[in-house]
Amino acid sequence: MHAIFVLALLTLFSIFVLCSTESSGTTGNPCCSSPCQNRGVCMTKGFDHYECDCTGTGYSGENCTTPDFLTWIRLKIKPSPNTVHYILTHFKPVWNIVNNIPFLHNFVMRYVLTSRAHLIDSPPTYNGHYNYKSWEAYSNISYYTRALPPIPKDCPTAMGVKGKKELPDAKMIAEKFLLRRKFIPDPQGTSLMFTFFAQHFTHQFFKTDHHRGPEFTRGLGHGVDLSHIYGETLDRQHKLRLFKDGKLKYQMTNGEMYPPTVKDTGVHMLYPPHVPEHLQFAVGQETFGLVPGLMMYATIWLREHNRVCDILRQDHPEWDDEQLFQTTRLVLIGETIKIVIEDYVQHLSGYYFKLKFDPELLFSQRFQYQNRIAAEFNTLYHWHPLLPDSFIIDNTEYGYQQFLFNNSVVMEHGINNMVESFSRQIAGRVAGGRNIAPAVLKVAVASIEQSRQMRYQSLNEYRKRFLMKPYKSFEDLTGETEMAAELEELYGDIDAMELYTGLLVEKPRSNAIFGESMVELGAPFSLKGLMGNPICSPEYWKPSTFGGESGFEIINTASLQKLVCTNVNGKCPLASFQVIQPDPSETATINASASRSAQDVSPTVLLKEHTSEL
């Protein structure tokens, strides 16, 4: 009897141990809690143990939390990102002096570039499928890369170990925290000229393949290649080319150059059936017929390409069509990078320090001239709050229904009036929440859902990855109490706050368009992508690459204003990413006739797959 009792106890104990062992293997990956700090790499060892690889981090210890002596010194003297931002956006007299002393100016600019770009892994490390380093994650360029690996699939909660088991409904989150109640203008004074530039520029490398999934890109390039002007494929490029003097095809209307039509080129474009043939313009990006602001920039760059071709042909009458075309493309890539750094990023930064495009600043640095677009960069660039409630061109107001797929706006108003008008109209503030227009809210819902499909880590994990202190509470994140309390009830823990939603509800910096996280995450991706372009390398950055001194001069003197002025007839309009205050006596009226090619178009057309990236 005693033996039977002992046997029964041993059997029960064995079952308990077995169940406990099986349970420990299903409660979650030990790396779910992101135990490795300061860019240490978490590696599982068995089902319930992990090991942190602290190599090259400047830290040691079980979780990479003990700083080496030099790291400790650096931490003691290094100012916080907000302190650096404050210094760069104040003390204007001091920065005026720095801007005018070449060696000081170059020193600061070199630091800005290297301190940002070195935060981006090169070569790439992870993608949406692999949360560990692999040859596939490195070599398969059909994936976006990742700054942080995906959350393991076997974690106890959606965000790892923190927060509630399931995330709140995406549509409810968008309606409650992102939907505009009343238009909030950007206190930094960003114009719609900036808004459409951002949308036009980024579509050359943000090309999510929605049929395969949000972790994939349809793009063949991962940087500034101007495929949105010349086409992604050689076939599309050839259909757009004139094959004479290096030029692109065009049509002339009232003495001005405009893109050719789909009928004349055979190029595939996304237009609804109601758009008449003569207004179906053909350009490098198939989605650019969506709104007139995109076609405005497409027209300006078409004119610039053909203008540069004429200049190079004068210098090189011996060159054939192919060499003129290829060299002109390199010149336009250089112009684009210079405009983005010195006009676009300069405006966003709000710095009194003058940013400078000079590839030679990095020639003595450890720098890799290659780039892979990160999924997180694509996600954070969904700046839909920039869009206003309506669009005003030359005193005529267009609602979304009138604006979509309406190239007649470009023809009727002309590039001059569009540039002037968009430079006068203010865009919306991106940070702070509740500022996305109803017409594009579904795109924000899709962004939340796709972010979850990508299993992004929390906003706080990204803040730590990009050298910011994690937020301690929802009030710390939003800077107020009402929204913070609602977010806490839904998410349960600040360490479970999602990346995309967190970026949009984050409190903005003082009188700024963005919060700290958006800037500190976005700037490294941006500057690495720009300066990592092959034309910035020592092998390319020389006059002969660009057709000689004439082409080199076009790049080195490029600006948004010059781009516009050299490509319009008559008086040049003032082109600015900073809003130009309108004349108070001007009033806007609805122009029903101008919307004739956009009739019956619902605002939800904006929400088709190809519009998910602003």
Side-chain angles (χ1 to χ4, degrees):
M1 187 74 180
H2 178 71
I4 295 174
F5 179 74
V6 170
L7 181 62
L9 284 177
L10 288 172
T11 302
L12 289 171
F13 179 75
S14 299
I15 293 172
F16 175 78
V17 170
L18 178 63
C19 291
S20 299
T21 303
E22 291 176 348
S23 176
S24 67
T26 58
T27 53
N29 187 316
C31 290
C32 287
S33 61
S34 301
C36 304
Q37 302 300 301
N38 302 305
R39 300 188 68 177
V41 178
C42 185
M43 181 176 66
T44 57
K45 295 195 72 176
F47 290 105
D48 52 4
H49 295 285
Y50 68 89
E51 182 178 90
C52 291
D53 185 349
C54 308
T55 305
T57 64
Y59 292 83
S60 59
E62 182 181 1
N63 293 333
C64 307
T65 54
T66 304
D68 300 342
F69 178 71
L70 291 179
T71 301
W72 182 82
I73 294 294
R74 178 175 54 82
L75 292 173
K76 289 296 182 183
I77 64 175
K78 185 178 180 181
S80 69
N82 276 332
T83 300
V84 173
H85 180 79
Y86 180 87
I87 292 170
L88 288 167
T89 54
H90 292 76
F91 316 111
K92 186 176 182 180
V94 175
W95 289 116
N96 285 341
I97 294 172
V98 172
N99 291 335
N100 287 288
I101 301 176
F103 84 90
L104 279 178
H105 184 257
N106 289 344
F107 175 83
V108 176
M109 189 66 210
R110 186 180 296 109
Y111 173 78
V112 169
L113 292 173
T114 56
S115 63
R116 299 288 195 181
H118 287 169
L119 288 172
I120 304 302
D121 291 331
S122 185
T125 47
Y126 311 107
N127 63 25
H129 186 75
Y130 292 95
N131 61 0
Y132 51 88
K133 293 183 179 72
S134 67
W135 188 256
E136 182 70 10
Y138 161 74
S139 63
N140 191 339
I141 64 170
S142 66
Y143 282 95
Y144 290 114
T145 188
R146 294 282 288 266
L148 284 177
I151 296 172
K153 292 182 178 179
D154 53 352
C155 292
T157 73
M159 297 304 290
V161 299
K162 297 294 182 70
K164 301 186 178 180
K165 186 173 180 58
E166 300 294 335
L167 290 167
D169 179 71
K171 185 172 183 291
M172 181 268 290
I173 289 293
E175 292 176 345
K176 196 174 186 68
F177 302 106
L178 305 184
L179 177 64
R180 177 177 294 159
R181 275 64 170 169
K182 181 181 179 182
F183 177 71
I184 305 172
D186 169 33
Q188 207 166 313
T190 299
S191 72
L192 287 195
M193 196 67 179
F194 174 95
T195 301
F196 291 120
F197 187 95
Q199 190 175 14
H200 184 270
F201 168 72
T202 58
H203 265 65
Q204 65 190 297
F205 44 77
F206 292 156
K207 299 176 181 178
T208 300
D209 188 338
H210 296 281
H211 297 290
R212 297 181 67 188
E215 64 265 49
F216 292 96
T217 173
R218 294 180 291 109
L220 301 177
H222 278 261
V224 181
D225 59 5
L226 304 197
S227 57
H228 62 324
I229 297 173
Y230 301 109
E232 185 71 51
T233 65
L234 193 61
D235 176 68
R236 189 177 186 92
Q237 178 197 117
H238 283 178
K239 288 177 179 178
L240 290 169
R241 285 176 60 176
L242 189 61
F243 286 105
K244 181 181 179 182
D245 299 333
K247 294 185 176 182
L248 296 171
K249 291 178 180 176
Y250 60 93
Q251 60 172 309
M252 298 299 294
T253 303
N254 297 325
E256 292 196 294
M257 184 183 296
Y258 290 94
T261 64
V262 170
K263 182 180 179 181
D264 290 339
T265 60
V267 169
H268 174 68
M269 293 288 292
L270 293 172
Y271 286 107
H274 72 269
V275 177
E277 282 188 351
H278 73 282
L279 289 175
Q280 293 185 17
F281 295 156
V283 295
Q285 231 292 352
E286 64 182 11
T287 68
F288 279 179
L290 179 68
V291 288
L294 295 176
M295 198 55 68
M296 172 194 71
Y297 273 114
T299 301
I300 291 171
W301 283 112
L302 164 67
R303 294 177 182 180
E304 178 66 3
H305 175 94
N306 288 349
R307 184 186 77 87
V308 173
C309 282
D310 285 336
I311 294 172
L312 294 183
R313 185 167 175 268
Q314 284 185 340
D315 290 349
H316 300 281
E318 76 283 6
W319 281 7
D320 61 11
D321 168 78
E322 186 69 15
Q323 189 166 5
L324 285 168
F325 171 82
Q326 297 293 350
T327 305
T328 296
R329 181 173 185 166
L330 293 177
V331 171
L332 263 66
I333 289 173
E335 288 186 82
T336 298
I337 296 174
K338 184 174 175 66
I339 290 170
V340 170
I341 290 177
E342 296 191 3
D343 287 331
Y344 180 90
V345 177
Q346 181 75 59
H347 166 71
L348 277 184
S349 71
Y351 293 168
Y352 287 129
F353 172 72
K354 187 173 177 59
L355 299 177
K356 176 184 180 183
F357 174 50
D358 182 0
E360 294 183 16
L361 293 174
L362 296 177
F363 286 179
S364 62
Q365 303 294 311
R366 179 179 62 85
F367 196 79
Q368 295 189 356
Y369 294 96
Q370 58 178 336
N371 188 60
R372 281 277 290 279
I373 297 298
E376 296 97 338
F377 189 36
N378 182 13
T379 296
L380 71 83
Y381 231 111
H382 285 50
W383 296 344
H384 295 96
L386 286 171
L387 295 169
D389 293 325
S390 62
F391 307 88
I392 301 173
I393 305 174
D394 197 23
N395 301 327
T396 302
E397 184 175 8
Y398 295 91
Y400 280 82
Q401 288 188 0
Q402 297 171 307
F403 206 61
L404 301 181
F405 295 109
N406 190 1
N407 284 331
S408 69
V409 170
V410 182
M411 304 300 288
E412 292 184 13
H413 291 287
I415 301 301
N416 300 54
N417 286 327
M418 293 184 74
V419 169
E420 183 84 27
S421 298
F422 290 150
S423 295
R424 288 179 179 271
Q425 187 171 357
I426 196 165
R429 189 185 70 189
V430 175
R434 295 175 177 165
N435 203 26
I436 295 181
V440 291
L441 187 68
K442 287 187 177 180
V443 184
V445 175
S447 298
I448 297 173
E449 292 173 341
Q450 289 168 11
S451 295
R452 294 174 179 180
Q453 188 177 340
M454 295 282 282
R455 307 198 315 279
Y456 285 144
Q457 296 189 34
S458 70
L459 174 67
N460 267 347
E461 288 303 317
Y462 279 99
R463 284 179 62 82
K464 289 188 286 185
R465 165 64 177 80
F466 286 88
L467 308 183
M468 291 173 280
K469 292 183 179 179
Y471 284 121
K472 296 179 180 179
S473 67
F474 286 95
E475 286 190 25
D476 192 21
L477 167 67
T478 64
E480 47 80 88
T481 56
E482 178 188 349
M483 190 187 303
E486 294 173 326
L487 286 167
E488 184 168 14
E489 181 180 353
L490 291 168
Y491 284 96
D493 193 305
I494 186 61
D495 286 328
M497 185 69 237
E498 298 178 87
L499 173 65
Y500 174 71
T501 306
L503 289 170
L504 291 192
V505 301
E506 181 181 37
K507 60 182 179 292
R509 280 172 162 165
S510 178
N511 295 315
I513 188 171
F514 296 137
E516 179 189 31
S517 300
M518 183 75 81
V519 175
E520 300 303 319
L521 267 70
F525 288 122
S526 178
L527 291 176
K528 176 61 172 70
L530 294 167
M531 300 306 296
N533 193 283
I535 74 158
C536 299
S537 68
E539 291 76 17
Y540 275 70
W541 188 250
K542 53 189 68 175
S544 57
T545 301
F546 309 102
E549 293 298 339
S550 295
F552 212 33
E553 178 73 7
I554 291 171
I555 295 174
N556 287 317
T557 60
S559 68
L560 176 69
Q561 186 66 68
K562 184 177 178 182
L563 176 68
V564 170
C565 285
T566 52
N567 290 293
V568 296
N569 291 341
K571 182 182 178 182
C572 178
L574 191 58
S576 176
F577 292 145
Q578 182 85 24
V579 73
I580 304 165
Q581 294 301 322
D583 185 335
S585 64
E586 295 176 349
T587 56
T589 58
I590 295 293
N591 182 356
S593 64
S595 64
R596 60 179 178 274
S597 69
Q599 58 188 348
D600 301 323
V601 179
S602 166
T604 56
V605 174
L606 257 181
L607 311 175
K608 290 185 177 181
E609 290 178 345
H610 64 270
T611 66
S612 65
E613 288 122 353
L614 177 61

